[in-house]
Amino acid sequence: MAALSKEELRSRVDADFDRVVDLLSRKVALKSVSAEGITGEHMRRSAQFVADELKERGVDAKVVQSKNPDGTPGAFEVVGSKIVDSDAPTVLLYAHHDVQPVPDASAWDTDPFVATEIDGRLYGRGATDDSGGIAIHSGALHALGDDLKVNIKVFIEGEEEMGSPSFIPFIEAHQDEFDSDVIIVADSGNWSAEIPSLTTSLRGNTDLDVTVKALEHPVHSGQFGGPILDTNTLSSMLIASMYDENGSLNIPGLEGGDPVGGLQRDLDEASVRADSSVVDSYRFAGTGSLASRLWTKPSISVIGFDAHPVEGSFNVIANETRFRISIRTAPNQRPEAAAKAVADFLTSHAPFGAEVSASMVDAGMGWSMDPNAEATQDALESMREAFGVDPINKGEGGSIPFIPELQRIFPDAQVLVTGPEDPKGNAHSPNESVDLTSLKNNVLTEALILTKLAR
Ligand code: BES
Ligand code: MN
């Protein structure tokens, strides 16, 4: 039988696209927020929805509840396979069905859980991260239908946004369900809605909880203020001491790197400013290419800070302050090593001899692509065909920590990191969205990749 033509695939993707958008809209409505309880019924329902959808696409899919390392029940994962030919290569399709929380729905212009199309973009929580990834896999499998010439395995995770706590025991218990030649991780994105990208690197992520203590108990701020600084101020000094005058992190042992595979094009400052919503007067911190600052150098954000709320505050000197920092690590540095470097720095730079302690909460490794892998070339060619323009290599500052774990267990698997995101997608933010033309081209790209991999 003749191989499927590009044109035939494109018209199949076109004809099916309303279904894909409807699927994505129904997925958004499921509110699969893992932060509201990984083991909750809402997460089981979301996993079952995805498994049912994959069954429609001919995948023998089921929901399996994982176990955490301590043996307690974990996430509702979707696993499945569609084996067409035992001699053909096997491709594992990955996405995650959990989504970020919506702490403030009033910050959205539309209901976050009612998918709404405006000017060619579909708005809703998870529309791009990463229910859009599920939509891509569904569309690609539909387009290929009975012409699929590779074996498919599927893993749709239920706890990615929580750092995949049960992933390692799960994969160890289900090695057969993961064993594959190529892994397509549709949880990242493109240079822009118009220009496709393979993701060349991801940063790692590790959190540290830091406590700064100066007094056994709070005291009167008039009686003792002056020689005794409150621990909110001391914490702020400690945090600021991690940076040099350019706003670059200056911590011995915390590594940085250059964009993987060379930088084809640097990010444009004006676009990053617009996409991030930064105020006009703000100057970007750090030095070097913007790409290296966002993708391959480390960064630190204070993501939690326990201080008295302004409302109802009174005249005392805070005696102890706790805060959490999230460290984005260079793609190839072990996160434990990065966390230790930062913890050592903080505990040895206590302002005015305050007591500082730091403990690691979580650690996920970064990743960098093998530019020489055969599948990489197939993917770049598929992107060129589907989008009609040359792809641009792109790193990502975000993290997908299960990838290096998977590569550790299956060192020969070639990993392709793709996905529906683009810089206007507002992943993790209010008004998250996906560009529908781009999503359609992503579906076609994946169908083309699966066709080429059959060779
Ligand atoms: N899809 C993102 C990762 C990502 C972000 C890729 C931006 C490309 C661009 C993923 O779902 C995510 O947010 N991961 C978490 C992992 C963390 C919980 C360890 C992250 O990066 O915060
Ligand atoms: Mn994601």
Side-chain angles (χ1 to χ4, degrees), residues 202-206 254-255 295-299 327-335 338-339 364-366 399:
L202 293 153
R203 289 194 285 195
N205 183 236
T206 171
L254 184 64
E255 293 169 8
W295 304 341
T296 51
K297 290 181 180 179
S299 70
I327 309 167
R328 297 289 174 170
T329 56
N332 296 319
Q333 180 167 38
R334 296 267 359 143
M365 179 72 187
S399 313

Side-chain angles (χ1 to χ4, degrees), residues 56-342:
E56 295 288 316
R57 311 276 75 80
V59 177
D60 183 12
K62 59 179 192 274
V63 176
V64 183
Q65 186 166 23
S66 63
K67 280 199 180 72
N68 292 312
D70 65 4
T72 57
F76 295 105
E77 321 279 30
V78 183
V79 293
S81 62
K82 182 174 181 180
I83 304 301
V84 297
D85 174 356
S86 54
D87 294 329
T90 299
V91 183
L92 173 66
L93 304 179
Y94 171 90
H96 58 88
H97 70 90
D98 65 323
V99 303
Q100 280 279 312
V102 176
D104 179 13
S106 74
W108 289 62
D109 298 333
T110 61
D111 184 330
F113 297 108
V114 178
T116 309
E117 190 181 333
I118 303 171
D119 292 340
R121 298 188 72 97
L122 191 75
Y123 288 81
R125 177 53 92 219
T128 189
D129 185 10
D130 182 29
S131 304
I134 297 169
I136 292 173
H137 297 324
S138 166
L141 290 174
H142 178 96
L144 288 166
D146 292 337
D147 295 307
L148 180 72
K149 297 282 185 293
V150 291
N151 300 310
I152 295 292
K153 291 181 180 174
V154 182
F155 175 55
I156 309 292
E157 190 183 9
E159 55 173 13
E160 196 276 345
E161 299 293 3
M162 301 296 284
S164 308
S166 71
F167 180 70
I168 293 174
F170 189 78
I171 184 178
E172 275 163 0
H174 295 259
Q175 298 228 358
D176 275 0
E177 271 126 317
F178 288 90
D179 197 359
S180 49
D181 303 294
V182 176
I183 303 170
I184 301 181
V185 179
D187 186 24
S188 184
N190 293 314
W191 185 271
S192 67
E194 295 77 29
I195 304 178
S197 300
L198 260 189
T199 298
T200 54
S201 67
L202 293 153
R203 289 194 285 195
N205 183 236
T206 171
D207 290 352
L208 276 183
D209 279 359
V210 184
T211 302
V212 176
K213 179 177 173 183
L215 300 160
E216 291 304 333
H217 54 77
V219 295
H220 193 292
S221 61
Q223 191 181 4
F224 292 104
I228 299 181
L229 301 178
D230 68 88
T231 49
N232 299 326
T233 299
L234 292 165
S235 297
S236 305
M237 290 173 164
L238 180 61
I239 291 164
S241 73
M242 295 190 289
Y243 295 88
D244 70 14
E245 65 283 3
N246 296 315
S248 298
L249 285 166
N250 187 15
I251 297 176
L254 184 64
E255 293 169 8
D258 292 319
V260 173
L263 185 58
Q264 290 173 315
R265 196 199 283 189
D266 196 7
L267 294 164
D268 160 52
E269 176 158 344
S271 308
V272 177
R273 296 189 74 88
D275 296 338
S276 64
S277 80
V278 68
V279 297
D280 285 345
S281 57
Y282 183 82
R283 286 175 283 112
F284 279 178
T287 57
S289 68
L290 204 44
S292 68
R293 281 182 266 167
L294 286 164
W295 304 341
T296 51
K297 290 181 180 179
S299 70
I300 295 183
S301 307
V302 178
I303 59 169
F305 197 101
D306 289 345
H308 197 290
V310 172
E311 216 56 59
S313 53
F314 44 97
N315 284 335
V316 290
I317 296 178
N319 60 311
E320 187 171 312
T321 296
R322 191 169 70 117
F323 56 92
R324 177 169 295 178
I325 61 177
S326 160
I327 309 167
R328 297 289 174 170
T329 56
N332 296 319
Q333 180 167 38
R334 296 267 359 143
E336 297 83 2
K340 184 174 183 308
V342 177

